[in-house]
């Protein structure tokens, strides 16, 4: 009986050690950022001459987000700032405002505008790598994808969140911008 007790104790200890190792590995593992913190232009996959743009280069909260021909303006540059919770805040360089799902809407088709940073889920975005090397941008507040209304390819086409992953905006993040 003594030998059986010793075997049971050894098995329990081995299981406990393996469990502790697993727990430590889970705690110490790091999440890889899909992109590094930095300043980027966000291109439309089907037309890399179109990028995310703040309408009229406005700096006010509530200014609309759209696509426009690439002009290398600050209204088309966005700083990606990785947060400890695994999401990004995406801030426009010209205005200092961040991309925001209007009124934290939960419906597909909700408008995206720029707003003063308030740390809500409407201003947090998950980046998901796609098989083709592009990146999807997904809202934390509703799990919907950044997209162009009606998938239009015209200047001024509105940016919204949509349930369709195949939407053509927010799937490509341009190489990091450098002052030109």
């Amino acid at each position: 009986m003594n030998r059986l007790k010793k075997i049971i104790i050894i098995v329990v200890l081995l299981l406990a050690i393996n469990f502790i190792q697993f727990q430590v590995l889970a705690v110490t593992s790091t999440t890889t950022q899909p992109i590094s913190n930095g300043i980027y232009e966000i291109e439309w996959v089907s037309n890399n001459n179109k990028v995310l743009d703040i309408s009229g280069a406005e700096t006010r909260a509530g200014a609309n987000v759209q696509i426009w021909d690439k002009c290398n303006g600050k209204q088309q540059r966005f700083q990606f700032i990785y947060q400890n919770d695994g999401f990004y805040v995406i801030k426009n360089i010209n205005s200092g405002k961040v991309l925001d799902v209007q009124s934290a809407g939960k419906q597909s088709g909700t408008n995206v505008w720029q707003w003063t940073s308030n740390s809500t889920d409407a201003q947090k975005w998950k980046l998901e790598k796609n098989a083709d090397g592009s990146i999807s941008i997904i809202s934390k507040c509703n799990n919907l994808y950044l997209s162009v209304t009606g998938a239009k390819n015209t200047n001024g086409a509105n940016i919204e969140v949509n349930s369709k992953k195949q939407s053509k905006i927010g799937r490509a993040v341009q190489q990091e911008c450098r002052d030109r």
Side-chain angles (χ1 to χ4, degrees):
M1 192 67 144
N2 252 351
R3 185 177 169 153
L4 182 59
K5 274 185 168 179
K6 286 180 182 178
I7 292 172
I8 290 172
I9 290 172
I10 291 171
V11 168
V12 169
L13 286 173
L14 288 173
L15 289 172
I17 289 169
N18 283 334
F19 178 74
I20 290 168
Q21 287 176 342
F22 175 75
Q23 291 300 318
V24 170
L25 288 175
V27 170
T28 59
S29 69
T30 58
T31 303
T32 304
Q33 292 176 232
I35 63 170
S36 299
N37 287 346
I39 299 171
Y40 296 85
E41 290 176 334
I42 304 171
E43 288 183 349
W44 187 18
V45 170
S46 65
N47 182 344
N48 63 6
N49 192 45
K50 300 280 187 203
V51 294
L52 230 61
D53 178 275
I54 303 300
S55 180
E58 291 190 49
T59 58
R60 68 176 175 82
N64 201 44
V65 182
Q66 61 185 7
I67 61 166
W68 202 266
D69 288 334
K70 192 182 297 188
C71 70
N72 300 321
K74 288 183 179 180
Q75 76 274 13
Q76 296 179 343
R77 293 186 183 172
F78 296 87
Q79 182 179 13
F80 282 70
I81 307 162
Y82 188 75
Q83 307 295 292
N84 291 333
D85 60 2
F87 290 84
Y88 287 82
V89 170
I90 304 173
K91 180 169 67 171
N92 182 258
I93 295 306
N94 187 53
S95 66
K97 307 288 189 291
V98 299
L99 292 186
D100 180 281
V101 176
Q102 188 171 344
S103 304
K106 305 291 184 204
Q107 300 294 320
S108 187
T110 300
N111 189 50
V112 174
W113 59 7
Q114 69 175 6
W115 199 259
T116 304
S117 180
N118 58 28
S119 301
T120 62
D121 287 351
Q123 298 180 343
K124 293 183 178 180
W125 304 89
K126 177 173 74 171
L127 303 184
E128 185 178 274
K129 288 187 178 183
N130 298 308
D132 64 1
S134 63
I135 297 175
S136 293
I137 301 175
I138 306 159
S139 170
K140 182 177 183 183
C141 81
N142 54 29
N143 209 35
L144 298 172
Y145 293 82
L146 200 66
S147 62
V148 177
T149 303
K152 295 179 182 172
N153 188 21
T154 56
N155 284 338
N158 192 53
I159 300 300
E160 64 181 24
V161 287
N162 194 296
S163 60
K164 296 179 182 174
K165 182 176 181 172
Q166 65 270 23
S167 298
K168 298 300 185 185
I169 194 76
R171 291 197 53 215
V173 177
Q174 176 69 333
Q175 295 175 1
E176 190 165 352
C177 296
R178 293 181 183 29
D179 288 333
R180 300 168 197 196

